[in-house]
mmCIF file of all heavy atoms in Angstrom:
data_model
loop_
_atom_site.group_PDB
_atom_site.id
_atom_site.type_symbol
_atom_site.label_atom_id
_atom_site.label_comp_id
_atom_site.label_asym_id
_atom_site.label_seq_id
_atom_site.Cartn_x
_atom_site.Cartn_y
_atom_site.Cartn_z
ATOM 1 N N ARG A 109 -7.871 16.678 7.803
ATOM 2 C CA ARG A 109 -8.487 15.495 8.403
ATOM 3 C C ARG A 109 -8.736 15.764 9.880
ATOM 4 O O ARG A 109 -8.055 16.588 10.499
ATOM 5 C CB ARG A 109 -7.578 14.268 8.235
ATOM 6 C CG ARG A 109 -7.444 13.859 6.779
ATOM 7 C CD ARG A 109 -6.651 12.584 6.632
ATOM 8 N NE ARG A 109 -6.681 12.128 5.244
ATOM 9 C CZ ARG A 109 -6.049 11.058 4.802
ATOM 10 N NH1 ARG A 109 -5.328 10.311 5.624
ATOM 11 N NH2 ARG A 109 -6.134 10.715 3.535
ATOM 12 N N ASP A 110 -9.646 15.017 10.417
ATOM 13 C CA ASP A 110 -10.037 15.240 11.807
ATOM 14 C C ASP A 110 -9.075 14.489 12.740
ATOM 15 O O ASP A 110 -9.500 13.661 13.540
ATOM 16 C CB ASP A 110 -11.483 14.730 11.955
ATOM 17 C CG ASP A 110 -12.073 15.167 13.261
ATOM 18 O OD1 ASP A 110 -11.536 16.124 13.855
ATOM 19 O OD2 ASP A 110 -13.055 14.528 13.687
ATOM 20 N N TYR A 111 -7.765 14.783 12.618
ATOM 21 C CA TYR A 111 -6.762 14.078 13.417
ATOM 22 C C TYR A 111 -6.448 14.866 14.689
ATOM 23 O O TYR A 111 -6.455 16.096 14.683
ATOM 24 C CB TYR A 111 -5.457 13.929 12.628
ATOM 25 C CG TYR A 111 -5.440 12.871 11.544
ATOM 26 C CD1 TYR A 111 -4.359 12.785 10.678
ATOM 27 C CD2 TYR A 111 -6.477 11.961 11.391
ATOM 28 C CE1 TYR A 111 -4.311 11.817 9.682
ATOM 29 C CE2 TYR A 111 -6.438 10.999 10.401
ATOM 30 C CZ TYR A 111 -5.354 10.927 9.546
ATOM 31 O OH TYR A 111 -5.303 9.979 8.581
ATOM 32 N N SER A 112 -6.103 14.136 15.756
ATOM 33 C CA SER A 112 -5.607 14.808 16.970
ATOM 34 C C SER A 112 -4.214 15.367 16.668
ATOM 35 O O SER A 112 -3.549 14.937 15.712
ATOM 36 C CB SER A 112 -5.518 13.801 18.114
ATOM 37 O OG SER A 112 -4.554 12.809 17.789
ATOM 38 N N ASP A 113 -3.751 16.289 17.527
ATOM 39 C CA ASP A 113 -2.406 16.854 17.349
ATOM 40 C C ASP A 113 -1.347 15.753 17.395
ATOM 41 O O ASP A 113 -0.384 15.772 16.633
ATOM 42 C CB ASP A 113 -2.101 17.874 18.463
ATOM 43 C CG ASP A 113 -2.915 19.152 18.267
ATOM 44 O OD1 ASP A 113 -3.536 19.296 17.200
ATOM 45 O OD2 ASP A 113 -2.919 19.983 19.196
ATOM 46 N N SER A 114 -1.542 14.768 18.299
ATOM 47 C CA SER A 114 -0.515 13.725 18.432
ATOM 48 C C SER A 114 -0.487 12.813 17.204
ATOM 49 O O SER A 114 0.580 12.401 16.756
ATOM 50 C CB SER A 114 -0.698 12.918 19.720
ATOM 51 O OG SER A 114 -1.925 12.261 19.707
ATOM 52 N N LYS A 115 -1.663 12.529 16.631
ATOM 53 C CA LYS A 115 -1.708 11.696 15.404
ATOM 54 C C LYS A 115 -1.059 12.462 14.239
ATOM 55 O O LYS A 115 -0.279 11.889 13.454
ATOM 56 C CB LYS A 115 -3.172 11.346 15.120
ATOM 57 C CG LYS A 115 -3.493 10.848 13.724
ATOM 58 C CD LYS A 115 -3.178 9.382 13.515
ATOM 59 C CE LYS A 115 -3.657 8.907 12.148
ATOM 60 N NZ LYS A 115 -2.713 7.988 11.512
ATOM 61 N N LEU A 116 -1.361 13.761 14.148
ATOM 62 C CA LEU A 116 -0.773 14.586 13.085
ATOM 63 C C LEU A 116 0.755 14.609 13.220
ATOM 64 O O LEU A 116 1.489 14.391 12.249
ATOM 65 C CB LEU A 116 -1.354 15.999 13.184
ATOM 66 C CG LEU A 116 -0.902 17.013 12.144
ATOM 67 C CD1 LEU A 116 -1.333 16.606 10.748
ATOM 68 C CD2 LEU A 116 -1.475 18.390 12.468
ATOM 69 N N LYS A 117 1.226 14.824 14.449
ATOM 70 C CA LYS A 117 2.677 14.873 14.701
ATOM 71 C C LYS A 117 3.319 13.529 14.366
ATOM 72 O O LYS A 117 4.371 13.469 13.723
ATOM 73 C CB LYS A 117 2.900 15.226 16.190
ATOM 74 C CG LYS A 117 4.335 15.370 16.612
ATOM 75 C CD LYS A 117 4.396 16.015 18.006
ATOM 76 C CE LYS A 117 5.817 16.143 18.525
ATOM 77 N NZ LYS A 117 6.339 14.926 19.127
ATOM 78 N N HIS A 118 2.653 12.447 14.787
ATOM 79 C CA HIS A 118 3.181 11.105 14.531
ATOM 80 C C HIS A 118 3.327 10.855 13.031
ATOM 81 O O HIS A 118 4.357 10.363 12.550
ATOM 82 C CB HIS A 118 2.245 10.067 15.162
ATOM 83 C CG HIS A 118 2.593 8.651 14.824
ATOM 84 N ND1 HIS A 118 2.048 7.996 13.731
ATOM 85 C CD2 HIS A 118 3.455 7.781 15.398
ATOM 86 C CE1 HIS A 118 2.564 6.777 13.671
ATOM 87 N NE2 HIS A 118 3.408 6.620 14.663
ATOM 88 N N ASP A 119 2.290 11.196 12.269
ATOM 89 C CA ASP A 119 2.322 10.928 10.828
ATOM 90 C C ASP A 119 3.382 11.780 10.122
ATOM 91 O O ASP A 119 4.086 11.296 9.237
ATOM 92 C CB ASP A 119 0.935 11.163 10.208
ATOM 93 C CG ASP A 119 -0.040 10.042 10.567
ATOM 94 O OD1 ASP A 119 0.401 9.021 11.141
ATOM 95 O OD2 ASP A 119 -1.242 10.191 10.284
ATOM 96 N N ILE A 120 3.499 13.049 10.545
ATOM 97 C CA ILE A 120 4.521 13.911 9.934
ATOM 98 C C ILE A 120 5.920 13.359 10.250
ATOM 99 O O ILE A 120 6.787 13.287 9.376
ATOM 100 C CB ILE A 120 4.370 15.378 10.431
ATOM 101 C CG1 ILE A 120 3.068 15.993 9.878
ATOM 102 C CG2 ILE A 120 5.578 16.218 10.038
ATOM 103 C CD1 ILE A 120 3.021 16.232 8.382
ATOM 104 N N GLU A 121 6.121 12.909 11.481
ATOM 105 C CA GLU A 121 7.434 12.334 11.838
ATOM 106 C C GLU A 121 7.720 11.070 11.035
ATOM 107 O O GLU A 121 8.855 10.834 10.613
ATOM 108 C CB GLU A 121 7.488 12.033 13.347
ATOM 109 C CG GLU A 121 7.724 13.286 14.153
ATOM 110 C CD GLU A 121 7.707 13.065 15.657
ATOM 111 O OE1 GLU A 121 7.506 11.908 16.112
ATOM 112 O OE2 GLU A 121 7.867 14.075 16.373
ATOM 113 N N CYS A 122 6.679 10.259 10.819
ATOM 114 C CA CYS A 122 6.836 9.045 9.990
ATOM 115 C C CYS A 122 7.379 9.396 8.615
ATOM 116 O O CYS A 122 8.259 8.714 8.085
ATOM 117 C CB CYS A 122 5.484 8.372 9.770
ATOM 118 S SG CYS A 122 5.094 7.160 10.973
ATOM 119 N N GLU A 123 6.846 10.487 8.058
ATOM 120 C CA GLU A 123 7.269 10.882 6.709
ATOM 121 C C GLU A 123 8.680 11.474 6.738
ATOM 122 O O GLU A 123 9.507 11.154 5.877
ATOM 123 C CB GLU A 123 6.248 11.873 6.124
ATOM 124 C CG GLU A 123 6.377 12.127 4.638
ATOM 125 C CD GLU A 123 6.158 10.878 3.778
ATOM 126 O OE1 GLU A 123 5.802 9.812 4.300
ATOM 127 O OE2 GLU A 123 6.383 10.999 2.561
ATOM 128 N N VAL A 124 8.957 12.303 7.749
ATOM 129 C CA VAL A 124 10.296 12.907 7.857
ATOM 130 C C VAL A 124 11.359 11.804 7.925
ATOM 131 O O VAL A 124 12.388 11.868 7.252
ATOM 132 C CB VAL A 124 10.391 13.816 9.108
ATOM 133 C CG1 VAL A 124 11.835 14.215 9.385
ATOM 134 C CG2 VAL A 124 9.509 15.050 8.952
ATOM 135 N N PHE A 125 11.083 10.774 8.724
ATOM 136 C CA PHE A 125 12.093 9.729 8.949
ATOM 137 C C PHE A 125 11.946 8.545 7.980
ATOM 138 O O PHE A 125 12.608 7.525 8.157
ATOM 139 C CB PHE A 125 12.045 9.258 10.417
ATOM 140 C CG PHE A 125 12.466 10.328 11.378
ATOM 141 C CD1 PHE A 125 11.553 10.935 12.221
ATOM 142 C CD2 PHE A 125 13.785 10.769 11.395
ATOM 143 C CE1 PHE A 125 11.944 11.951 13.093
ATOM 144 C CE2 PHE A 125 14.186 11.781 12.256
ATOM 145 C CZ PHE A 125 13.263 12.376 13.109
ATOM 146 N N GLU A 126 11.092 8.699 6.981
ATOM 147 C CA GLU A 126 10.906 7.665 5.939
ATOM 148 C C GLU A 126 10.648 6.287 6.551
ATOM 149 O O GLU A 126 11.201 5.280 6.123
ATOM 150 C CB GLU A 126 12.121 7.622 5.009
ATOM 151 C CG GLU A 126 12.363 8.941 4.307
ATOM 152 C CD GLU A 126 13.375 8.823 3.174
ATOM 153 O OE1 GLU A 126 14.427 8.182 3.366
ATOM 154 O OE2 GLU A 126 13.078 9.355 2.079
ATOM 155 N N VAL A 127 9.785 6.261 7.562
ATOM 156 C CA VAL A 127 9.520 5.018 8.291
ATOM 157 C C VAL A 127 8.944 3.935 7.364
ATOM 158 O O VAL A 127 9.362 2.782 7.408
ATOM 159 C CB VAL A 127 8.556 5.286 9.481
ATOM 160 C CG1 VAL A 127 8.063 3.985 10.094
ATOM 161 C CG2 VAL A 127 9.237 6.159 10.524
#
Side-chain angles (χ1 to χ4, degrees):
R109 293 185 173 178
D110 192 19
Y111 284 172
S112 64
D113 288 350
S114 62
K115 163 81 174 140
L116 182 64
K117 182 168 178 278
H118 173 269
D119 286 351
I120 292 292
E121 282 177 0
C122 269
E123 193 62 5
V124 168
F125 294 110
E126 300 192 315
V127 169

